[in-house]
Amino acid sequence: MVGTAIAFAFGALLLYGGWAVAGGIATRSLSPVNAVFLSYVASLVIVGGYVLWLRRPIDGARVDVAAALVSGAFLAAASISFYAGLARGSMAIVSAITALYFVVPAIVGVVYFDAALSATNVAGLALAVVAVVLVAA
């Protein structure tokens, strides 16, 4: 089970990397908003096709459905911000800073969901921030 999760995580890593590179290329001549719009059209085709292929109804607790919709709103706004950054700066720097997004759920988890962070977790978060500072320098 853990091996499968790690395989999917590496798949996401590669696919997010491709997303960043393609977004950087797209913003050479497209406005960030238009690049995001076109990327979301492609996303809806793929995800919509996948949902239809699985034949699973959308059912779940209302709060969870609402959380999924809020998640999509955050993703859309983040995508616009990311593409705007790509249009104005270095793909390596913008991508590296954006990649620190995982710090936000770690902090929210500790503050609102009583998640515990070990000294090793805190050190890892701090080293990630240092790595991004070094990449962006």
Side-chain angles (χ1 to χ4, degrees):
M1 188 68 128
V2 172
T4 303
I6 290 172
F8 278 119
F10 275 109
L13 178 152
L14 293 173
L15 292 165
Y16 277 129
W19 169 72
V21 171
I25 293 168
T27 56
R28 291 185 301 189
S29 67
L30 289 170
S31 72
V33 171
N34 287 338
V36 170
F37 175 76
L38 292 172
S39 75
Y40 273 63
V41 168
S43 296
L44 283 173
V45 168
I46 292 169
V47 172
Y50 185 61
V51 167
L52 292 173
W53 180 66
L54 289 177
R55 297 179 185 203
R56 289 188 180 164
I58 298 174
D59 77 20
R62 285 184 182 184
V63 69
D64 297 339
V65 171
L69 293 170
V70 169
S71 171
F74 276 122
L75 182 59
S79 294
I80 292 169
S81 180
F82 179 71
Y83 278 57
L86 290 174
R88 292 168 178 81
S90 163
M91 186 185 310
I93 294 171
V94 172
S95 295
I97 292 169
T98 302
L100 281 175
Y101 77 88
F102 67 87
V103 172
V104 174
I107 292 169
V108 170
V110 169
V111 173
Y112 292 105
F113 298 108
D114 297 324
L117 288 179
S118 69
T120 304
N121 298 142
V122 173
L125 290 169
L127 288 172
V129 171
V130 168
V132 168
V133 169
L134 292 174
V135 167

